[in-house]
Each structure stands twice: as structure tokens, then as C-alpha cells.
Amino acid sequence: MLRKKLAIGNWKMHKTAQEAEHYVRALQGLISSDSGPFLAVPFTAIQGAAQAANGSKIRIGAQNMHEAKEGAFTGEISAEMLKASGASFVLLGHSERRNLFGETDEKVHQKLVRALQVGLIPVVCVGEKLEERQHGKTEAVLRRQIEAALLGVDPEKIVLAYEPVWAIGTGKSASAEMAQDTHAFCRTIVGAKTPILYGGSVQIDNVSSFCSQTDIDGVLVGGASLHPENFAQIAKKVLS
Ligand code: PGA
């Protein structure tokens, strides 16, 4: 996806389909018609949220998918199913998927290839753990995650999200300067045209400090995206 400003909300395991529809309607009333935030919602909320967002600039996506086209994979969801439900993008390799559900770099790559085949924009999430940063391994970890995910794929086809694991859901965001340094490093791998988002404890009061950095194109927001008023304010600061 060519470089532009982006604000993505990641609801994680929150909201029923009905709650999602209410949220999307509320958000439409709070944002201008030419600014389009993205929302990564639970599978069960994709269709309703996408219908509610129809005609607006809001884009609905998923938080994960299976890499196979179809088959005997009980409990899994394919890229085609997401696309047919109204998803236009998918988060891949979120640190909760990697650390709680054993998702490997290789799987992230396979999912990325499959997502592109069906026309979903892959939002590839990468990030180092606290001990990796403390031991000076941040760049090696990020290089491995990004190169393995892309492996022969044009970086211009994806969105990259840098989310330091120690900043997710902790209230301890990276400083804007630290995030900028790390984004500049990621940019040496993906090039000038790929949007790179920062994620990890983004809030209304710190979002502008991130978005004023040269290599930060927007944000991936967890907890602070759960209320439409809050997320609308964040999205406005990013997209205006
Ligand atoms: P947070 O989550 O904003 O609640 O830290 C970000 C994410 O996990 O994408």
C-alpha cells in the first residue's frame, strides 16, 4: 500500500456484532467524510461493521487469518471468508499472536502471500521484547521479522506496524524519538514507499508526538480505540 497517513484501531477480543455496528455508526458521525480510519474487529463483527461502514471512508479488517485457501482446519478462518464478509485488510503477526499462540515468522509470510492473493491489505506487525531491547538485539529481531514476512514480496504491497512488545497494553509507550529511530531502521529494509505505523500505548495525548516524526505514518491503537469518541480524536490528529 503506497505511503499515506493511517489510523488503525485494533479491538482485540472486544465487542459483539451489534456493539460493533453501533460503534461504526457513532464513529461516522464523529469523523470528516474524507478521513478514513481502519478498524480491525473480531471475525463475528466484520460483516455487520462493514455494512454499517458502507458509503463511508471507514475500512473494516480482521486481526488474523489462516494461510490455507480452505480445508480441514477446525476453528480457522480463510482470507476468502474475510474478503467475502467485507474485510479490506488483515493484521498479521501481532505480538499477541506470536507470543500467546506460537505464530512463527514463516506462518506470517504464508499468511501475507495468501492475503495478497485475495486482495486483502496485509498489516504486518513486528516488535522486540523488553529483554531483546535491553540486550541490544532490537534491530536484529526486527530485520529477521520483516525479511522473513516479506521474503520475495514487494514491500510496497504491505503496511508495516512497529509495536514494541513492552509498550503494548502497558501504558508505557516508546518515546517519539526512540520510535522514530526504530522506524528509520525499518525503513532501510522496506524502503521509502511503505507506510510504517507505531503501536503500543498510543493515546490522545501522545499521538501527535509520534505522527510528527519523519518516518511514522500513523498509529495502531488497541485499548484507546475501544470508545468511538476517543478513537475519533486520535484518528483526527493522525489524518488531518
Ligand atoms: P495498546 O495495543 O494500544 O492497547 O497498547 C496496541 C496493539 O496491541 O495493537
Side-chain angles (χ1 to χ4, degrees):
M1 184 175 184
L2 284 190
R3 204 167 163 187
K4 64 172 194 170
K5 296 281 178 201
L6 278 175
I8 306 183
N10 173 16
W11 289 355
K12 309 193 180 185
M13 199 170 73
H14 294 281
K15 300 192 191 296
T16 63
Q18 204 183 19
E19 288 165 345
E21 289 178 41
H22 286 148
Y23 179 114
V24 170
R25 293 219 168 80
L27 186 63
Q28 278 172 355
L30 295 165
I31 55 167
S32 76
S33 57
D34 47 42
S35 66
F38 285 28
L39 292 170
V41 307
F43 293 137
T44 46
I46 292 173
Q47 190 157 25
Q51 278 165 4
N54 203 4
S56 79
K57 290 271 166 64
I58 299 167
R59 292 282 167 274
I60 303 300
Q63 303 168 12
N64 183 32
M65 53 171 265
H66 193 275
E67 65 277 14
K69 189 171 188 304
E70 60 185 0
F73 301 105
T74 301
E76 292 293 328
I77 303 269
S78 74
E80 284 85 351
M81 293 169 187
L82 299 179
K83 183 81 180 163
S85 299
S88 45
F89 73 98
V90 59
L91 302 185
L92 297 177
H94 188 281
S95 70
E96 285 151 16
R97 300 297 321 165
R98 293 178 190 263
N99 299 324
L100 302 175
F101 301 99
E103 194 154 301
T104 61
D105 288 330
E106 193 189 2
K107 283 273 180 224
V108 176
H109 170 68
Q110 291 166 354
K111 292 179 183 198
L112 188 160
V113 170
R114 187 81 208 122
L116 288 172
Q117 280 168 355
V118 308
L120 290 170
I121 301 165
V123 179
V124 177
C125 306
V126 297
E128 82 287 1
K129 295 179 184 161
L130 184 59
E131 61 271 26
E132 292 167 337
R133 180 163 282 273
Q134 285 167 339
H135 290 102
K137 292 185 183 158
T138 300
E139 294 191 353
V141 168
L142 295 175
R143 178 178 292 284
R144 191 202 74 225
Q145 290 177 339
I146 297 169
E147 289 181 348
L150 282 168
L151 204 70
V153 175
D154 180 355
E156 291 178 21
K157 297 197 167 137
I158 70 155
V159 175
L160 188 68
Y162 166 60
E163 299 198 297
V165 178
W166 44 271
I168 294 179
T170 59
K172 291 183 199 148
S173 66
S175 70
E177 294 70 30
M178 186 196 279
Q180 163 56 29
D181 282 353
T182 312
H183 278 230
F185 170 74
C186 294
R187 197 164 290 296
T188 64
I189 305 171
V190 296
K193 294 188 179 150
T194 303
I196 310 179
L197 314 183
Y198 169 78
S201 296
V202 172
Q203 309 283 347
I204 295 174
D205 56 7
N206 64 13
V207 63
S208 298
S209 69
F210 291 115
C211 291
S212 59
Q213 305 294 322
T214 327
D215 289 297
I216 302 185
D217 301 303
V219 288
L220 178 53
V221 187
S225 73
L226 289 175
H227 295 287
E229 295 77 14
N230 218 35
F231 186 55
Q233 285 194 54
I234 291 176
K236 270 186 210 159
K237 285 179 195 255
V238 177
L239 301 169
S240 60

Coordinates of all heavy atoms in Angstrom, one line a residue, residues 8-12 91 94-96 125 161 163-165 167-172 198-203 220-225, ligand 1:
I8 N -5.3 2.9 12.6 CA -5.9 1.6 12.7 C -6.3 1.3 14.2 O -5.4 1.4 15.0 CB -5.1 0.5 12.2 CG1 -4.6 0.8 10.7 CG2 -5.9 -0.8 12.2 CD1 -3.8 -0.3 10.1
G9 N -7.5 1.0 14.4 CA -8.0 0.6 15.7 C -7.9 -1.0 15.8 O -8.4 -1.6 14.8
N10 N -7.4 -1.5 16.8 CA -7.4 -3.0 17.0 C -8.2 -3.3 18.2 O -7.7 -3.1 19.4 CB -5.9 -3.5 17.1 CG -5.8 -4.9 17.5 OD1 -6.7 -5.7 17.3 ND2 -4.6 -5.3 17.9
W11 N -9.4 -3.8 18.0 CA -10.3 -4.1 19.2 C -9.9 -5.3 20.0 O -10.4 -5.6 21.0 CB -11.7 -4.2 18.7 CG -12.3 -3.0 18.2 CD1 -11.8 -1.7 18.2 CD2 -13.6 -2.9 17.6 NE1 -12.7 -0.8 17.7 CE2 -13.8 -1.5 17.3 CE3 -14.6 -3.8 17.3 CZ2 -15.0 -1.1 16.7 CZ3 -15.8 -3.4 16.7 CH2 -16.0 -2.0 16.4
K12 N -9.0 -6.2 19.4 CA -8.7 -7.5 20.0 C -10.0 -8.2 20.3 O -10.9 -8.2 19.5 CB -7.9 -7.2 21.3 CG -6.7 -6.3 21.0 CD -5.6 -6.2 22.0 CE -4.5 -5.3 21.5 NZ -3.4 -5.2 22.4
L91 N -4.7 -7.8 10.0 CA -3.4 -7.7 10.8 C -2.7 -9.1 10.8 O -3.4 -10.1 10.9 CB -3.7 -7.4 12.3 CG -4.5 -6.1 12.6 CD1 -4.6 -6.0 14.2 CD2 -3.9 -4.9 12.0
H94 N 0.6 -10.1 14.8 CA 0.6 -9.3 16.0 C 1.3 -10.0 17.1 O 1.3 -11.2 17.2 CB -0.9 -9.0 16.4 CG -1.1 -8.0 17.5 ND1 -0.9 -8.4 18.8 CD2 -1.4 -6.7 17.5 CE1 -1.0 -7.3 19.6 NE2 -1.3 -6.3 18.8
S95 N 1.9 -9.2 18.0 CA 2.8 -9.9 19.1 C 1.9 -10.8 19.9 O 2.5 -11.8 20.5 CB 3.5 -8.9 19.9 OG 2.6 -8.2 20.7
E96 N 0.6 -10.6 20.1 CA -0.2 -11.5 20.9 C -0.4 -12.8 20.1 O -0.4 -13.9 20.7 CB -1.5 -10.8 21.2 CG -1.3 -9.8 22.3 CD -2.3 -8.7 22.3 OE1 -3.4 -8.7 21.7 OE2 -2.0 -7.6 23.0
C125 N 2.7 -6.9 11.6 CA 3.2 -6.3 12.9 C 4.5 -6.9 13.3 O 4.7 -8.2 13.3 CB 2.1 -6.6 14.0 SG 0.5 -6.0 13.5
A161 N 3.6 -2.3 10.8 CA 3.3 -1.7 12.1 C 4.4 -2.1 13.1 O 4.6 -3.3 13.3 CB 2.0 -2.2 12.6
E163 N 5.5 -2.3 16.7 CA 4.9 -2.3 18.1 C 5.9 -3.0 19.0 O 5.9 -4.2 19.1 CB 3.6 -3.1 18.1 CG 2.5 -2.5 17.2 CD 1.1 -3.0 17.5 OE1 0.9 -4.2 17.4 OE2 0.3 -2.2 17.9
P164 N 6.6 -2.2 19.8 CA 7.5 -2.8 20.8 C 6.6 -3.6 21.8 O 5.6 -3.0 22.3 CB 8.2 -1.6 21.5 CG 7.5 -0.4 21.0 CD 6.7 -0.7 19.8
V165 N 6.9 -4.8 22.1 CA 6.1 -5.7 22.9 C 5.9 -5.1 24.3 O 4.8 -5.2 24.8 CB 6.6 -7.1 22.9 CG1 5.8 -8.0 23.8 CG2 6.7 -7.7 21.5
A167 N 5.6 -2.2 25.1 CA 4.7 -1.0 25.1 C 3.2 -1.3 24.9 O 2.4 -0.4 25.0 CB 5.2 0.0 24.1
I168 N 2.9 -2.6 24.6 CA 1.6 -2.9 24.2 C 0.7 -3.1 25.5 O 1.1 -4.0 26.3 CB 1.5 -4.2 23.3 CG1 2.2 -3.8 22.0 CG2 0.1 -4.6 23.1 CD1 2.2 -5.0 21.0
G169 N -0.3 -2.3 25.7 CA -1.2 -2.5 26.8 C -0.6 -2.2 28.1 O -1.2 -2.5 29.2
T170 N 0.5 -1.6 28.2 CA 1.2 -1.3 29.4 C 1.1 0.1 29.9 O 1.5 0.4 31.0 CB 2.7 -1.6 29.3 OG1 3.3 -0.8 28.3 CG2 3.0 -3.1 28.9
G171 N 0.7 1.0 29.0 CA 0.7 2.4 29.4 C 2.0 3.0 29.2 O 2.2 4.2 29.4
K172 N 3.1 2.2 28.9 CA 4.4 2.7 28.7 C 4.8 2.8 27.2 O 5.4 1.8 26.7 CB 5.4 1.8 29.4 CG 5.3 1.9 30.9 CD 6.4 1.0 31.5 CE 6.0 0.6 33.0 NZ 6.5 -0.7 33.4
Y198 N 3.2 3.3 14.1 CA 3.7 2.9 15.5 C 2.5 2.4 16.3 O 1.4 3.0 16.2 CB 4.3 4.2 16.2 CG 4.5 3.9 17.7 CD1 5.6 3.1 18.1 CD2 3.6 4.3 18.6 CE1 5.8 2.8 19.4 CE2 3.7 3.9 20.0 CZ 4.8 3.2 20.3 OH 5.0 2.8 21.6
G199 N 2.8 1.4 17.1 CA 1.7 0.9 18.1 C 2.3 0.6 19.4 O 3.5 0.2 19.5
G200 N 1.5 0.8 20.5 CA 1.9 0.5 21.8 C 1.6 1.6 22.7 O 2.4 2.6 22.7
S201 N 0.5 1.5 23.4 CA 0.0 2.6 24.4 C -0.1 4.0 23.7 O 0.2 5.0 24.3 CB 1.0 2.6 25.6 OG 0.9 1.4 26.3
V202 N -0.6 4.0 22.5 CA -1.0 5.3 21.9 C -2.3 5.8 22.5 O -3.2 5.0 22.7 CB -1.1 5.1 20.3 CG1 -1.7 6.4 19.7 CG2 0.2 4.7 19.7
Q203 N -2.3 7.1 22.8 CA -3.4 7.7 23.4 C -3.6 9.1 22.8 O -2.8 9.5 22.0 CB -3.1 8.0 24.9 CG -2.6 6.9 25.7 CD -3.7 5.9 26.1 OE1 -4.9 6.2 26.0 NE2 -3.3 4.7 26.6
L220 N -1.2 2.3 15.3 CA -2.1 1.1 15.5 C -2.5 1.2 17.0 O -1.6 1.2 17.8 CB -1.3 -0.2 15.2 CG -2.0 -1.5 15.4 CD1 -3.4 -1.6 14.7 CD2 -1.1 -2.6 14.8
V221 N -3.8 1.3 17.2 CA -4.2 1.6 18.6 C -5.1 0.5 19.2 O -6.1 0.1 18.5 CB -5.1 2.9 18.5 CG1 -5.5 3.4 19.9 CG2 -4.4 4.0 17.7
G222 N -4.7 0.0 20.3 CA -5.5 -1.1 21.0 C -6.5 -0.5 21.9 O -7.6 0.0 21.5
G223 N -6.2 -0.4 23.2 CA -7.2 0.0 24.2 C -7.9 1.3 23.9 O -9.1 1.4 24.2
A224 N -7.1 2.3 23.4 CA -7.7 3.6 23.2 C -8.6 3.7 22.0 O -9.1 4.7 21.7 CB -6.6 4.7 23.1
S225 N -8.8 2.5 21.3 CA -9.7 2.5 20.1 C -11.1 2.0 20.5 O -12.0 2.0 19.7 CB -9.1 1.7 19.0 OG -9.2 0.3 19.3
Ligands
PGA1 P1 -2.4 -0.8 23.0 O1 -2.3 -2.0 22.0 O2 -2.7 0.4 22.2 O3 -3.5 -1.2 23.9 O4 -1.1 -0.7 23.7 C1 -1.8 -1.8 20.7 C2 -1.8 -3.1 19.9 O5 -1.7 -4.2 20.5 O6 -2.0 -3.1 18.7

